[in-house]
Amino acid sequence: MKRKYSSLSPGSLNMTPMIDIVFLLISFFTLVINFSKAEQHEDVLLPKSELAQPPETVPGELLTFQVTQSDEIFIGSTVCYLDDAPRARGVPFSKALRDELHVIRSVTRTDAAGVTAVVRADENVRTGFVQRLIAQCQEQGMETFVLRARQVRYEE
Amino acid sequence: MFCVVRREHTRFWAGRCGTGRERHEESMGIRDIKLRSDGVKLQMTSMIDVVFLLLSFFIITYRTPEIEGDFNIRMPVQVQSNKLPSLDDLTPVIVRLASDSQGELTGIVFGDKSLGVDFQLLRKSIFEYIQASGSVDFQQALTTSVIPAFKDDLEVEFDCDPKLRYKYTMLGITAVTGYLNGENQIVKMVEKVKFTPPKK
């Protein structure tokens, strides 16, 4: 019996494999899409480090500070500025930090010393700015800090 | 392109739902669901449009995830007291990073030794400083899986110029905290890192 390979007229496209591939691609992207980017910020390009590795143990309470190149600090969606450098936009950092620590304390009964500050600072931020941020956190009683970097492995 | 695809696609499905092919498949027992020309037809064109829109969205917004890692520093507030400071408080090793007015690195000083702007030299200096016995060469440690014994509880304090770009500070912290050995494994040298109080 002679097998018929295609019933389509010459010159027409067979759409079935293309639609199959399109659906496979959509399935792939749907599965790999990352919804856990809430901690990231589009204006922050983290500094590189060949030793940066995801932490093996997750500390208790975390409070993330996003520090942009334009000296803005984001706590969640709240824009802050350091108290000694007032700006037109945002709220004083110490006030925002005090509010956040108050919420954490009332919800989880963790005091400031038990909260870990995660500093996600842009690679071009001045180091002095990060130091002043840490100093203001210390004034509120925070003791543990985490400096975040992106992992880059240099090939020799 | 989408217009051509849609036209060809419509022609294709019109051909598939035609009575000739349907009769052939019914006679062969292939199809269980019968689509007749006078019955309900699936309008595939709009679905394919949506599928292409979805695909475009995913392709445009897709970014390869970057691996992020942490460097832990513990910096409690220094409280004035009459007690004698502990041994740890007395023995931090100072690494100074100097910068120009643009924030570019101009010098690394470890103790009283100037290291230029070479972070690998800083790593080597720390390696030699904290190695307990001194039996393993730095290059040997980098290229093999030999892990030397290091002194515990060494603390490194970074004294950075305020204008220094943060990326250089992170490179300095990376250099003192460890290295990748010959098998690409991370070997930790210094666990405790802190900053000097901010300068006015």
Side-chain angles (χ1 to χ4, degrees):
Chain A
M1 182 179 166
K2 193 175 180 181
R3 190 170 174 185
K4 191 177 179 183
Y5 286 98
S6 173
S7 62
L8 297 174
S9 59
S12 63
L13 285 171
N14 188 0
M15 298 288 288
T16 315
M18 192 187 73
I19 292 170
D20 289 347
I21 290 171
V22 165
F23 272 107
L24 279 175
L25 279 171
I26 287 184
S27 309
F28 167 76
F29 282 116
T30 311
L31 289 174
V32 300
I33 193 168
N34 185 9
F35 289 107
S36 63
K37 288 185 176 175
E39 217 185 28
Q40 299 186 4
H41 195 281
E42 57 186 5
D43 291 339
V44 175
L45 179 63
L46 292 178
K48 299 173 191 171
S49 172
E50 64 205 74
L51 302 185
Q53 273 200 321
E56 292 167 2
T57 57
V58 181
E61 292 299 325
L62 299 175
L63 190 53
T64 304
F65 306 118
Q66 315 273 358
V67 186
T68 67
Q69 195 180 344
S70 53
D71 289 355
E72 284 179 327
I73 306 165
F74 285 81
I75 306 176
S77 58
T78 307
V79 191
C80 314
Y81 57 83
L82 284 187
D83 296 3
D84 52 355
R87 302 166 74 93
R89 182 170 171 240
V91 296
F93 177 70
S94 60
K95 180 182 181 303
L97 178 60
R98 201 179 309 119
D99 293 345
E100 288 288 334
L101 290 173
H102 177 73
V103 170
I104 291 174
R105 192 182 303 117
S106 57
V107 173
T108 65
R109 304 205 177 279
T110 308
D111 62 354
V115 179
T116 301
V118 180
V119 181
R120 298 187 82 254
D122 189 276
E123 65 176 11
N124 288 317
V125 165
R126 287 164 295 137
T127 303
F129 190 83
V130 177
Q131 287 179 279
R132 277 153 53 211
L133 182 146
I134 290 175
Q136 293 206 1
C137 292
Q138 287 176 308
E139 287 175 11
Q140 304 273 346
M142 300 180 81
E143 294 182 352
T144 316
F145 300 88
V146 161
L147 306 180
R148 191 150 284 179
R150 63 191 153 109
Q151 187 187 70
V152 176
R153 290 284 166 92
Y154 300 101
E155 298 295 333
E156 291 186 10
Chain B
M1 178 200 162
F2 279 139
C3 294
V4 173
V5 169
R6 183 191 289 184
R7 191 168 63 239
E8 295 300 327
H9 162 258
T10 310
R11 190 190 299 167
F12 167 69
W13 279 100
R16 282 190 71 98
C17 296
T19 53
R21 184 177 179 88
E22 191 180 355
R23 274 201 299 273
H24 167 71
E25 288 179 344
E26 280 176 17
S27 66
M28 297 292 286
I30 296 171
R31 297 179 66 173
D32 293 325
I33 302 169
K34 297 171 183 174
L35 291 175
R36 294 181 186 282
S37 59
D38 54 349
V40 178
K41 285 182 184 175
L42 281 175
Q43 181 58 262
M44 298 292 287
T45 314
S46 51
M47 191 194 76
I48 298 296
D49 287 348
V50 172
V51 162
F52 271 109
L53 278 175
L54 270 173
L55 186 63
S56 312
F57 168 76
F58 281 125
I59 290 175
I60 290 168
T61 60
Y62 180 74
R63 285 178 189 169
T64 50
E66 287 183 339
I67 303 174
E68 294 183 3
D70 294 342
F71 290 96
N72 299 314
I73 54 176
R74 185 171 171 77
M75 292 176 62
V77 182
Q78 299 292 328
V79 181
Q80 296 288 339
S81 72
N82 295 326
K83 285 195 306 184
L84 287 171
S86 67
L87 193 61
D88 285 347
D89 294 335
L90 288 173
T91 58
V93 174
I94 307 277
V95 173
R96 171 155 172 70
L97 303 179
S99 76
D100 59 13
S101 59
Q102 301 299 314
E104 299 298 327
L105 184 73
T106 54
I108 306 170
V109 179
F110 170 62
D112 55 354
K113 194 163 66 173
S114 179
L115 305 174
V117 291
D118 190 353
F119 284 105
Q120 191 69 351
L121 210 53
L122 172 64
R123 178 173 282 135
K124 185 183 178 192
S125 303
I126 293 281
F127 178 88
E128 289 166 352
Y129 183 81
I130 67 166
Q131 204 184 152
S133 62
S135 58
V136 181
D137 180 57
F138 181 60
Q139 286 302 327
Q140 184 189 355
L142 289 183
T143 52
T144 63
S145 59
V146 178
I147 300 176
F150 293 125
K151 295 172 192 167
D152 293 332
D153 292 335
L154 183 80
E155 186 168 41
V156 174
E157 186 171 297
F158 277 88
D159 178 13
C160 307
D161 275 350
K163 284 186 178 175
L164 180 71
R165 290 176 193 265
Y166 184 59
K167 61 182 176 185
Y168 296 116
T169 308
M170 190 56 75
L171 286 175
I173 293 174
T174 304
V176 302
T177 48
Y179 62 89
L180 290 173
N181 69 6
E183 294 184 348
N184 229 18
Q185 293 170 330
I186 294 175
V187 179
K188 292 271 186 185
M189 294 194 296
V190 175
E191 302 271 359
K192 295 180 182 174
V193 172
K194 69 176 182 181
F195 289 116
T196 54
K199 296 166 185 167
K200 297 291 181 187

